Amino acid sequence: PRPMLLQLFVLLAVSVVGSQIHRPHIVFLLADDLGFNDLGFWPYSRHRNSIFSPNLKAIARKGVRFDNYYVQPICTPTRSALMTGRYDIRLGTQSGVIRPWEAAAIALNETFMAQNMKDAGYDTAIMGKWHLGFYKEKYLPQKRGFDFQYGYYCGAEDYYQHTREQSGIDGYDWHLNDSRVHLEDKGKYSAPLLADHAISYMKERENNTKPFFLYLPFQSVHEPFEVDEKWKNLYPYKKGKAKTKAGMVSAMDHAMGRIFEFLNHSSLYNNTLVVFSSDNGAPQDHGGSNLPLRGWKTQLWEGGIKVAGFVFHPNLPKEVAGTINHQLYHVTDWLPTLVNLAGGNTSRNLPLDGKDIWHSIMTNTPSPRDELLHNINPEGCPGTNRDLPHAAIRQGDMKFLAECFDAQHGVTGDTWMFNITADPDETNNIVQQHPHLVKHFEKRLHFYIKGMIPPLQSCSGCPEGKPFGNPPAWNPWMKD
């Protein structure tokens, strides 16, 4: 029939255009604690122009935006899933972040995306937040596949002084190529610093035929709440944390806008892919917005794990450029997607949970992913707050959450089930109507827990880390 033939022709045409994007330069922008609605670039967003973020809105609207895209509910878990393409239960990051003083890190048998990119012939760089463990030098970024490193190891630093306090000591945490300290940038706000170094890095590669993978995990907009007054002054009608947080978003947008502006006038432009994501939803009472979603950072409700994301390339097929993609994607999907796009392979990696979603993005066809394990967190269960599920899984339209789950007892405590497509705000718990699905999801959780390792914690007998040296700084404190 003609309609089917026409549809096939369109898909083939789109595939041909999409296939023109091969071994691109890749700039991966990761915001920190940015809420689902903080940028307001969804057409259905209320008050969508309340935060001044013209650069991200402009490039997102020229690219492909994702409104069914998930990460993990907090910092380290999302970053570890991104770098390995594997669920947190396999990495030991299912229960929270790696604290600065903890002698813990992602195991060395895990292959990081940067290592895959190097194998594919890419230059690799990280500028910004690491947060994947640093108690020994072998866990530093340049030992995990990055040729170039600039930024910090911990989290929640001072934006200007680049320090993180511990035991009454302000430890300096700003490094260049895994150096002990990099003091030249003390007193300067982090967002423009990252933009400066990113632009400098790309300028040096304008006449180089070798592609690059530039990972930019910004400090913005994580606490502490700090930004220049000029950005806060954009919001005379806001107060307190909401005013500062809005200014921080605008400062980040300006910094990322400078990167876009450089690329737009650079010879790199025609073959540079930009990927944007947040690492989790906005925290509660921090001035951010996950509306209309339920929940906050650290939680398995949609507001903690569903984030704004997009891709942009000047050669996107016209059929998808400027559209909103509703397919189910997860942060683990970026490793196989980007490595394959780079002409690499993942044969050295442990079995991946991520799927290659490039064809789905380029053709707006169903995702290769039908199931998504949001998490199984064994810690703090049962807790005092009965409204905080510790396990959640999604299959198709249906999402199942359990207050607690373990291999011995199965599902215990309260349970919830939502048709996320029909009820994205998670207001209508239909778990009582689908007992057969509850059994099905419990079987799937049992399947996944077989591959779970214990949550990371400091190695037995290992000393806690603390800032040391002159000036006191955060650095590896144990020998390899």
Side-chain angles (χ1 to χ4, degrees):
R2 284 190 178 182
M4 290 186 65
L5 187 62
L6 179 61
Q7 185 180 32
L8 178 62
F9 175 78
V10 169
L11 285 175
L12 286 173
V14 170
S15 297
V16 169
V17 175
S19 68
Q20 294 175 0
I21 303 174
H22 178 64
R23 288 180 62 79
H25 307 296
I26 299 169
V27 177
F28 197 110
L29 300 164
L30 187 66
D32 200 326
D33 284 6
L34 187 74
F36 180 75
N37 198 30
D38 278 343
L39 294 178
F41 60 39
W42 309 113
Y44 47 78
S45 297
R46 289 176 288 174
H47 312 299
R48 61 179 178 272
N49 296 315
S50 63
I51 291 186
F52 185 69
S53 53
N55 298 295
L56 282 165
K57 284 176 182 172
I59 192 168
R61 287 169 178 162
K62 291 191 293 184
V64 180
R65 285 168 280 171
F66 310 128
D67 77 347
N68 200 12
Y69 166 59
Y70 292 86
V71 294
Q72 296 307 109
I74 197 167
C75 306
T76 299
T78 288
R79 294 159 205 275
S80 60
L82 170 65
M83 283 293 107
T84 64
R86 284 161 52 81
Y87 288 144
D88 292 334
I89 60 166
R90 311 192 197 284
L91 309 172
T93 54
Q94 66 270 51
S95 296
V97 302
I98 298 175
R99 304 292 180 184
W101 55 87
E102 289 181 330
I106 307 303
L108 293 175
N109 65 338
E110 297 287 349
T111 302
F112 278 21
M113 189 190 302
Q115 294 170 295
N116 292 124
M117 289 295 185
K118 278 180 67 70
D119 291 346
Y122 273 58
D123 285 337
T124 57
I126 176 174
M127 301 180 192
K129 180 178 179 178
W130 180 236
H131 217 188
L132 294 173
F134 66 95
Y135 74 102
K136 293 182 178 180
E137 288 189 5
K138 63 185 178 181
Y139 297 114
L140 294 179
Q142 287 191 303
K143 298 295 195 298
R144 305 304 297 257
F146 289 100
D147 301 313
F148 181 90
Q149 179 272 335
Y150 173 75
Y152 59 110
Y153 301 151
C154 303
E157 336 296 271
D158 184 284
Y159 277 75
Y160 295 93
Q161 300 307 314
H162 313 303
T163 54
R164 169 70 188 260
E165 187 270 340
Q166 171 67 11
S167 302
I169 303 173
D170 284 330
Y172 192 74
D173 186 20
W174 204 256
H175 309 265
L176 176 64
N177 286 329
D178 294 351
S179 65
R180 288 290 173 179
V181 289
H182 183 69
L183 294 170
E184 288 83 346
D185 295 325
K186 188 176 179 66
K188 300 175 184 177
Y189 196 71
S190 67
L193 284 177
L194 296 177
D196 289 344
H197 278 73
I199 291 169
S200 176
Y201 179 88
M202 291 187 290
K203 275 184 178 177
E204 293 174 359
R205 283 155 179 78
E206 281 191 291
N207 298 316
N208 189 340
T209 58
K210 193 174 183 181
F212 61 79
F213 169 62
L214 173 55
Y215 174 43
L216 283 163
F218 268 64
Q219 182 173 7
S220 310
V221 289
H222 196 287
E223 63 178 344
F225 297 99
E226 297 173 330
V227 72
D228 291 355
E229 288 297 319
K230 67 178 181 180
W231 298 113
K232 289 192 278 189
N233 290 340
L234 293 173
Y235 306 97
Y237 50 90
K238 291 181 180 286
K239 295 181 180 180
K241 290 179 180 178
K243 183 185 186 81
T244 305
K245 178 76 174 280
M248 293 166 74
V249 174
S250 293
M252 178 186 72
D253 176 81
H254 182 261
M256 292 184 178
R258 289 178 52 217
I259 294 170
F260 303 151
E261 180 69 13
F262 165 77
L263 284 171
N264 196 42
H265 294 92
S266 168
S267 60
L268 301 171
Y269 177 76
N270 284 330
N271 197 29
T272 297
L273 174 70
V274 175
V275 183
F276 176 86
S277 174
S278 180
D279 66 341
N280 45 251
Q284 189 171 12
D285 300 325
H286 280 200
S289 174
N290 299 320
L291 291 175
L293 307 177
R294 174 183 184 176
W296 305 93
K297 172 183 176 178
T298 75
Q299 300 176 359
L300 292 172
W301 304 118
E302 293 289 281
I305 54 178
K306 188 185 218 179
V307 298
F310 67 80
V311 296
F312 170 78
H313 190 286
N315 294 324
L316 287 173
K318 66 180 186 299
E319 291 82 3
V320 298
T323 64
I324 296 176
N325 180 302
H326 308 296
Q327 306 302 325
L328 180 63
Y329 302 141
H330 184 241
V331 67
T332 54
D333 298 332
W334 290 121
L335 186 145
T337 300
L338 298 180
V339 170
N340 289 342
L341 191 61
N345 67 76
T346 57
S347 59
R348 67 183 288 188
N349 301 62
L350 294 174
L352 299 179
D353 296 299
K355 310 290 185 182
D356 185 341
I357 57 175
W358 188 245
H359 178 76
S360 174
I361 296 171
M362 290 297 98
T363 59
N364 194 21
T365 50
S367 170
R369 168 184 296 286
D370 182 60
E371 183 172 86
L372 169 54
L373 177 70
H374 289 304
N375 202 19
I376 302 172
N377 178 8
E379 293 194 349
C381 197
T384 56
N385 188 345
R386 300 296 299 275
D387 197 37
L388 286 180
H390 285 66
I393 186 171
R394 168 90 176 263
Q395 196 172 82
D397 297 330
M398 307 301 286
K399 177 182 177 183
F400 175 73
L401 305 97
E403 183 182 350
C404 297
F405 176 82
D406 63 49
Q408 181 179 357
H409 304 100
V411 170
T412 56
D414 291 340
T415 55
W416 302 262
M417 188 180 295
F418 305 97
N419 182 321
I420 291 298
T421 303
D423 180 24
D425 308 348
E426 295 174 301
T427 59
N428 182 26
N429 185 4
I430 57 175
V431 72
Q432 298 297 330
Q433 302 170 31
H434 299 282
H436 62 293
L437 281 179
V438 173
K439 292 180 180 179
H440 168 74
F441 280 123
E442 186 167 6
K443 286 181 181 178
R444 295 304 296 158
L445 290 173
H446 274 290
F447 166 79
Y448 282 113
I449 206 169
K450 292 176 183 177
M452 185 170 80
I453 67 171
L456 287 176
Q457 53 185 324
S458 289
C459 51
S460 178
C462 294
E464 285 192 349
K466 60 183 179 180
F468 63 92
N470 185 22
W474 287 104
N475 282 296
W477 64 91
M478 292 180 63
K479 293 183 178 180
D480 289 346

